[in-house]
Amino acid sequence: MILQGKKGLIVGIANNRSIAYGIAKACKEQGAQLAFTFLNEALEKRVRPIAQEFGSSDFVYELDVSKPEHFSSLFQSLQTDFGNLDFVVHSVAFAPKDALTGDFVQTSKEAFNTAMEISVYSLIELSRCVLPLLNKGASILTLTYLGSMKYVTNYNVMGVAKAALESSVRYLAYDLGRAGIRVNAISAGPIKTLAASGISDFNLMLKWNEANAPLRENVSIDQVGSAAMYLVSDLSSGVTGEVHYVDSGYNIMGMCAMEDVDGKPTPRWEILTKH
Ligand code: NAP
């Protein structure tokens, strides 16, 4: 098994539809021992049974990334209970719902700062927090989305946050590379999760991707999970600072997908929405 004897921390499970759940599952299947965090008491009730499912009941810790004291207690607990880490998965993002709709120009400073703090700074703080526990060759992985590179309706301030997150991956990769630690991101295609439900017209995004991606389907948390398993494992030991797309190929498209209908090139989107 590829991750036999490896230990990883998973941050960002809300429920069994979370991308982090798909990643935890793929890592567990390859033999990893996992530790989990939960955001608050309400989520603890959901995360504990999941930790139990993965044989990690004793390694569940509170982490609200907006609270610096949680990082210090997480470090202490990991050091005492769990020991050194071979990988860390950061799968956390948040922006106020009213900033994920309408005109980007109306983004408030408060929404901007919240999105940056929870979705970007948290990766830097988490990396710094666990650094003394990371084994040589350890891997840090975060989750991003194409809205960082291209305009995506309603993604707004989260697109700006993801651009900063991807840039942070490159700067962290350089710094931590000195210690042989790798930092990468997966840019996942749209997946229906709790976080995604905060984005207006998310179902439209899902249908658009399905219609226009080369593979003609949306990705699953299992598909993101297996790509993540590769990136946290020694299989990717020469890979750092990368943004790896797991989106059925959607990001390569320069024009909408077309199909032949009665000898006439027709946008696939039109065909799917008509029938
Ligand atoms: P999810 O299941 O809702 O996971 C997001 C997690 O972030 C939740 O556990 C959430 O808790 C947590 N979180 C929010 N604020 C936090 C805080 N202050 N401290 C600690 N945790 C906090 O949604 P997901 O789609 O799997 O999202 C995981 C990552 O994938 C995010 O970075 C997201 O941007 C990225 N991503 C998602 C998609 C997609 O289409 N779903 C595509 C590309 C990238 P609460 O639920 O309580 O807020």
Side-chain angles (χ1 to χ4, degrees), residues 221-241:
I221 61 169
D222 290 338
Q223 286 173 311
V224 177
S226 19
M229 194 285 296
Y230 153 76
L231 281 171
V232 301
S233 78
D234 293 342
L235 289 176
S236 59
S237 59
V239 180
T240 195

Side-chain angles (χ1 to χ4, degrees), residues 18-19 39 43 63-65 91 93 143-144 162 188 190-191 193-195:
S18 296
I19 293 177
L39 169 61
L43 279 191
L63 178 63
D64 178 338
V65 297
S91 187
L143 273 299
T144 185
K162 292 302 192 190
I191 301 176
T193 62
L194 217 55

Side-chain angles (χ1 to χ4, degrees), residues 11-15 17-20 37-40 43 46 63-66 90-94 118-119 142-146 155 158 162 165 186-196 199 202 205 221:
V11 177
I13 288 194
N15 54 40
R17 302 177 85 177
S18 296
I19 293 177
T37 67
F38 60 88
L39 169 61
N40 52 32
L43 279 191
R46 300 221 202 106
L63 178 63
D64 178 338
V65 297
S66 67
H90 169 275
S91 187
V92 172
F94 177 78
I118 306 300
S119 319
T142 189
L143 273 299
T144 185
Y145 174 62
L146 180 69
Y155 203 61
M158 195 49 82
K162 292 302 192 190
L165 180 74
I186 283 182
S187 185
I191 301 176
K192 208 168 181 139
T193 62
L194 217 55
I199 302 161
F202 185 75
M205 249 163 105
I221 61 169

